[in-house]
């Protein structure tokens, strides 16, 4: 059971509703509603943050004759989130709860400038399937939040459930709270990317500013003259502090070369 929040990124969000007399059976939406009702009754802070694409992926306009499936997806998502008596928002309002205090749905857009300083924008299509709970548990996989993935008798899906054991100090609801290093770092990185922060450059600066693992005195520069060299006739010559090649090492390299040639033959002629 989530104590403080759930962060979700998914390509779809169709759950626990009724659309065109079809019952959506997966229970993810029910779980969110029940958790919010519990938080409201207990007077505790809790939050669900959901990231989905603004529109399903489709190359044509929504009113195109071939876009009927896209329009159905949008209708099902609207029925899940805020439209009709079976939506998450309507069910919460029936309990006297303001949904905006507990659950928020976001879509992403990018922007740039064309020649002449003309602003342009486009949708960022979210394709990830990630769920992070309390910065302690992360579920990363292939399943969408819809009937095809969640029913269990349709598409085959795979997911990794990561329960962090490397705990670090964090803060939840204004109080100290132990969070998992991986789950917390993943969520913060995703959120920073979504607001336009160049996280790769930021992490590179942090890495460069960090102290080296070893002191300068303990680090040895690579000296190629002290490494093994192979001559033009595939004979081994060694320099510096290393000993000369023995008959055993020469036999080993001959065997390795023969094995590599055999593998090359298999790759070229058998596949």
């Amino acid at each position: 059971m989530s104590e403080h929040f759930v962060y979700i990124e998914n390509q779809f969000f169709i759950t626990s509703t009724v659309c065109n007399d079809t019952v959506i059976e997966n229970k993810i939406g029910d779980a969110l509603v029940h958790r919010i009702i519990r938080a409201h009754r207990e007077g505790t802070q809790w939050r669900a943050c959901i990231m989905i694409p603004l529109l399903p992926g489709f190359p044509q306009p929504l009113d195109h004759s071939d876009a009927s499936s896209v329009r159905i997806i949008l209708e099902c998502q609207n029925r899940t989130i805020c439209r009709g008596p079976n939506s998450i928002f309507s069910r919460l309002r029936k309990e006297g709860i303001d949904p905006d205090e507990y659950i928020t749905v976001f879509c992403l857009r990018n922007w740039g400038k064309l020649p002449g300083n003309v602003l342009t924008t486009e949708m960022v299509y979210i394709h990830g399937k990630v769920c992070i709970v309390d910065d302690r548990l992360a579920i990363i996989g292939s399943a969408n939040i819809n009937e095809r993935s969640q029913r269990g008798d349709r598409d085959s899906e795979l997911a990794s459930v990561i329960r962090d054991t490397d705990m670090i100090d964090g803060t939840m609801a204004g109080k100290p709270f132990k969070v998992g290093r991986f789950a917390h770092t993943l969520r913060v990185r995703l959120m920073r990317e979504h607001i336009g922060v160049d996280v790769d450059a930021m992490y590179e600066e942090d890495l460069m500013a960090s102290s080296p693992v070893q002191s300068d005195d303990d680090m040895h520069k690579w000296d190629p003259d002290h490494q093994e060299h192979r001559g033009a006739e595939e004979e081994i010559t060694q320099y510096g502090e290393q000993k000369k090649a023995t008959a055993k090492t020469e036999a080993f390299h001959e065997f390795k070369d023969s094995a590599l040639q055999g593998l090359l033959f298999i790759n070229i002629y058998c596949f």
Side-chain angles (χ1 to χ4, degrees):
M1 176 68 71
S2 167
E3 294 183 44
H4 295 284
F5 78 90
V6 170
Y7 174 85
I8 295 173
E9 285 190 19
N10 208 273
Q11 187 178 357
F12 300 102
F13 191 66
I14 301 172
T15 174
S16 305
T17 190
V18 178
C19 185
N20 298 329
D21 298 326
T22 299
V23 178
I24 308 299
E25 297 182 1
N26 77 79
K27 303 300 183 183
I28 294 175
D30 288 342
L32 291 171
V33 170
H34 295 159
R35 184 63 185 89
I36 291 172
I37 292 174
R38 175 190 161 195
H40 179 72
R41 290 175 178 173
E42 295 176 351
T44 57
Q45 296 183 11
W46 192 86
R47 197 79 187 180
C49 177
I50 300 169
M51 313 287 297
I52 58 175
L54 179 64
L55 298 171
F58 190 70
Q60 302 294 337
L62 290 178
D63 57 357
H64 193 274
S65 59
D66 294 334
S68 59
S69 61
V70 179
R71 293 192 291 270
I72 292 174
I73 291 172
L74 287 174
E75 177 66 13
C76 289
Q77 292 192 155
N78 288 333
R79 293 285 178 182
T80 294
I81 299 169
C82 60
R83 181 180 295 170
N86 298 297
S87 67
I88 292 174
F89 281 31
S90 292
R91 292 167 66 185
L92 292 175
R93 290 190 179 108
K94 289 178 184 178
E95 298 290 332
I97 300 171
D98 181 2
D100 293 335
E101 293 183 2
Y102 295 94
I103 183 169
T104 312
V105 182
F106 295 95
C107 305
L108 299 178
R109 297 192 70 86
N110 204 349
W111 69 277
K113 286 186 177 181
L114 298 174
N117 287 329
V118 177
L119 291 176
T120 183
T121 180
E122 62 182 359
M123 177 183 72
V124 175
Y125 190 74
I126 296 173
H127 201 276
K129 299 92 169 62
V130 179
C131 177
I132 300 172
V133 181
D134 293 336
D135 278 359
R136 288 183 171 180
L137 181 143
I139 303 173
I140 306 170
S142 63
N144 290 308
I145 299 179
N146 59 13
E147 293 292 82
R148 285 184 57 176
S149 293
Q150 299 296 329
R151 280 276 299 271
D153 57 358
R154 297 185 182 179
D155 289 0
S156 298
E157 306 291 358
L158 181 68
S160 174
V161 180
I162 302 145
R163 295 182 182 274
D164 226 327
T165 57
D166 181 11
M167 309 303 286
I168 59 177
D169 293 331
T171 303
M172 294 285 176
K175 299 179 180 179
F177 186 79
K178 289 289 186 180
V179 299
R181 186 184 303 274
F182 172 79
H184 173 75
T185 303
L186 175 61
R187 179 185 62 81
V188 172
R189 179 186 176 95
L190 289 171
M191 286 186 164
R192 284 172 172 169
E193 285 183 343
H194 296 339
I195 61 174
V197 175
D198 188 346
V199 292
D200 291 328
M202 183 176 64
Y203 287 154
E204 184 176 350
E205 291 177 1
D206 291 342
L207 181 63
M208 297 300 293
S210 301
S211 301
V213 177
Q214 293 178 310
S215 65
D216 293 339
D217 294 336
D218 294 333
M219 294 183 181
H220 301 285
K221 293 183 179 180
W222 176 61
D223 185 356
D225 291 337
H226 287 179
Q227 302 301 314
E228 180 180 284
H229 296 270
R230 297 179 66 82
E233 299 178 359
E234 294 298 315
E235 295 179 355
I236 300 173
T237 306
Q238 294 181 332
Y239 300 95
E241 299 174 355
Q242 296 184 354
K243 297 180 180 180
K244 293 182 178 179
T246 64
K248 289 184 178 180
T249 58
E250 292 179 356
F252 168 75
H253 284 289
E254 290 179 1
F255 171 78
K256 183 177 72 172
D257 292 341
S258 299
L260 290 174
Q261 291 176 3
L263 289 174
L264 180 62
F265 173 83
I266 292 173
N267 287 331
I268 293 176
Y269 295 100
C270 299
F271 294 97

